[in-house]
Amino acid sequence: MGLLTQGRPLSWAETKKYVQYTREHGVEQFINLYKKLKDRRNDCLKWGDEVEFIMVRFDHEKKKVQLVLKAHKLLPILMEPENQNCDNCTSLWRPEYTDYMIEGTPGKPYGYLPAHFNMVEANMRLRRKQAQELLDKDEYVLSTSNFPRNGCPDCTWPTYKSTLDTSVSNSLCFPDQVIFPDHPRFKTLTQNIRSRRDAKIALNVPIFIDTNTPRPFIEDFSIYGDDYGAYGTAALKDHIYLDAMGLGMGCCCLQVTFQAQSIDEARFLYDQLTPLTPIMLAMSASSPIWRRYLAEIDCRWNVLCAMSDDRTAEERGFEPLKNDRFRIPKSRYSSVDCYISPESAKYNDIEIVQDMNVFNKLIENGIDHLLAQHIAHLFIRDTVILFEENLHLDDTKDTDHFENINSTNWQSMRFKPPPVNSNIGWRVEFRPTELQMTDFENAAFVTFIVLLTRAIMTYNLNLLIPISNVDENMQVAQQRDAFRHQKFHFRKSLSTKQTPNTPCMNSVQKNIFQEDNPENRCEHRLMTINEIINGSNEFVGLLNIVQEYLTNIEVDADTRCTINQYLNLISQRAAGTLMTNASWMRHFVANHPSYKHDSVVTDEIAYDLLWKMKKIANDEDHCPEVLPKMSSKTTLDVSAAIQKANNELEVKRSLIQQNQSLKN
């Protein structure tokens, strides 16, 4: 979720007058912030997750499930504890793009102690429970990336019909009433992106061709009324037509944010996690159904990119540059385009479009080439949402103009400077992971990602591959059953000259810095997800590195038990012995008694699918195809383990001080 500024939002016609002004002041704000905080050191590890839930309503008599539009009613209640006493909250809540979504995070960030890993799932369960208690009969909180029939007639409760000529989306199938109504950001963002683009948002997703799917497959848009006209002609044969920002931004995801000890560590983590983004995307795939049709994709990523694409025809390369400044290869929602640490420069092998005026200004103010390039690349974008009250700011005290552009570059990783006048440090956000149907799965992905960052830092590993290969992996990751059937570019050896000689690393790793060895001249190769996660005779496997890291730190028994179950899920998912959510959904649909093998997910099938998911998520049913047998020892109260760890830490500090005194 981006910056939620209050005030009167400006239309695109009004905003356009200020895009250069806000760009210049946004750069100035970043320079001031950088100079003030570039030497900030020794922030402790803090991290947290963001879960975007959806709310649905089951009509058991009609066998129909609909999205419930009441986030605007629930959020004031959910946010009340924070408003009353923000220091004593178990969870924090924020609005999202649609009125059927709510975003929940832990009340306080987790820290460096291993015991915190045992709190993640319990806190996710608590958030689910808090929201569930506010819903009416037959209404439920679910965690899944995409509602299977979003965009179909009558897919929401209450039900609305799209009005093409007057709606901000100008959508055939997505009414404005679905957009969150209580903050002007969301509708204005929708209107301004479409106005700036000067064209309708549109994407054609390849349909999954089943045995009875009509060939060619041609959608019947008359179900939306008599005025669909030219909008229907934009659809391609054998494709599913999507035409609204909300069909992308209305998807849910699982994000993790880390506080680093310094700006250098944050930049290092940003780069090292970037090659992992497509791997986690493929393993977490959960979006195989779009507007009631089975698709040839399993993930939401490219849909989000297309539905948030504000580039003009000139910027997309369809017309010669005349009024616009750049040809821009990607949407502002996209995968990362460049690494940002100086030591990563050689892996930036694609041309970076950047605003050279911004770049030169940053260089003149002492910012190094790689970070200046990153910011100058972000600032090729225009501001698309401005509030009248926030136009004229003090650049020495405010960063709203910078954050306005930074937070609307929705990339697979985000580099996040500290907020002004806060005790928060330099951060990075890991953004690609799809939401899973259970808290256990979501906690497992979060735990694995966080543990991997600790292992990377501890062992001084290097996961970098050319950024062009990361782009290629992102496309491969979204293909149907990619986790089982596709291969991904990945680094052959993760060791560096600073990597310690551990049994795990020495077992299979080759030293890439031995340049006289011809086998080491190509630093990466194609691997399966199973090889990348579980290892092989030629590659150590990320899971083995995490396990070795765990053997070298103090972990209480309950936490280790929980972590082991999470890592077991990751291992089996990577090996293909457990399905992704997307694969399981396909299997469920294919075996439903009313499915006609025509690629259509009917109301009844969607009802049964989501009811099954609701039961699995609430421990009322089990799903052995997706989940191992679970009995994690997650708890909200880990005070004893944390107190023990703190006591041991104090003893170590005391011994260090005593030794230092003896030396002196």
Side-chain angles (χ1 to χ4, degrees), residues 626-646:
V626 174
L627 295 164
K629 189 174 181 180
M630 303 174 298
S631 58
S632 68
K633 297 188 177 182
T634 183
T635 176
L636 287 171
D637 182 13
V638 292
S639 54
I642 290 176
Q643 185 60 51
K644 179 182 177 182
N646 284 333

Side-chain angles (χ1 to χ4, degrees), residues 462-630:
N462 180 10
L463 277 66
L464 300 182
I465 60 174
I467 203 76
S468 62
N469 293 132
V470 179
D471 271 353
E472 185 179 333
N473 284 349
M474 285 295 287
Q475 297 307 309
V476 171
Q478 299 172 70
Q479 297 177 20
R480 178 164 55 92
D481 285 340
F483 80 113
R484 283 178 172 165
H485 303 307
Q486 299 298 328
K487 290 189 175 183
F488 298 79
H489 297 281
F490 210 76
R491 193 175 182 88
K492 292 191 295 186
S493 174
L494 309 184
S495 298
T496 66
K497 292 181 180 180
Q498 289 76 40
T499 300
N501 293 322
T502 67
C504 173
M505 298 305 295
N506 286 340
S507 63
V508 294
Q509 295 295 77
K510 299 182 178 68
N511 294 322
I512 63 170
F513 41 84
Q514 293 177 351
E515 296 180 358
D516 57 335
N517 185 347
E519 293 183 8
N520 295 330
R521 288 175 185 167
C522 182
E523 297 177 350
H524 65 279
R525 66 176 177 87
L526 289 171
M527 302 186 198
T528 64
I529 292 281
N530 189 32
E531 288 179 282
I532 293 168
I533 299 298
N534 291 316
S536 66
N537 291 332
E538 298 178 349
F539 182 71
V540 63
L542 300 179
L543 205 55
N544 293 322
I545 295 172
V546 168
Q547 291 285 16
E548 179 161 303
Y549 169 76
L550 286 168
T551 63
N552 290 302
I553 62 172
E554 292 289 334
V555 186
D556 67 275
D558 284 354
T559 300
R560 187 60 195 258
C561 174
T562 298
I563 290 175
N564 284 344
Q565 293 186 61
Y566 294 158
L567 298 184
N568 181 45
L569 169 68
I570 299 296
S571 177
Q572 291 192 56
R573 179 76 60 87
T577 54
L578 291 176
M579 294 180 177
T580 62
N581 281 202
S583 293
W584 176 78
M585 290 176 191
R586 291 181 185 279
H587 182 265
F588 185 96
V589 172
N591 290 278
H592 194 279
S594 69
Y595 178 58
K596 298 179 181 178
H597 296 277
D598 56 358
S599 309
V600 178
V601 179
T602 63
D603 269 323
E604 181 184 356
I605 297 173
Y607 165 88
D608 287 339
L609 172 65
L610 268 68
W611 185 251
K612 176 78 170 179
M613 292 170 66
K614 170 260 171 188
K615 293 176 70 177
I616 294 168
N618 289 283
D619 297 325
E620 299 165 3
D621 202 346
H622 186 49
C623 186
E625 301 93 345
V626 174
L627 295 164
K629 189 174 181 180
M630 303 174 298

Side-chain angles (χ1 to χ4, degrees), residues 289-354:
I289 308 168
W290 296 88
R291 271 194 49 246
R292 79 179 180 137
Y293 298 112
L294 286 169
E296 272 294 331
I297 61 171
D298 273 357
C299 302
R300 77 201 189 288
W301 192 260
N302 278 355
V303 175
L304 279 163
C305 295
M307 298 295 100
S308 306
D309 191 354
D310 71 329
R311 292 173 300 160
T312 66
E314 292 180 19
E315 290 170 332
R316 284 177 284 155
F318 296 151
E319 296 177 4
L321 282 176
K322 181 180 178 182
N323 301 309
D324 294 306
R325 303 186 302 152
F326 308 107
R327 291 264 176 89
I328 304 177
K330 296 179 184 177
S331 165
R332 67 194 301 146
Y333 206 119
S334 63
S335 54
V336 164
D337 285 320
C338 59
Y339 297 114
I340 63 175
S341 293
E343 58 270 21
S344 308
K346 70 175 184 176
Y347 299 101
N348 285 333
D349 65 333
I350 62 176
E351 183 179 355
I352 307 300
V353 182
Q354 54 186 313

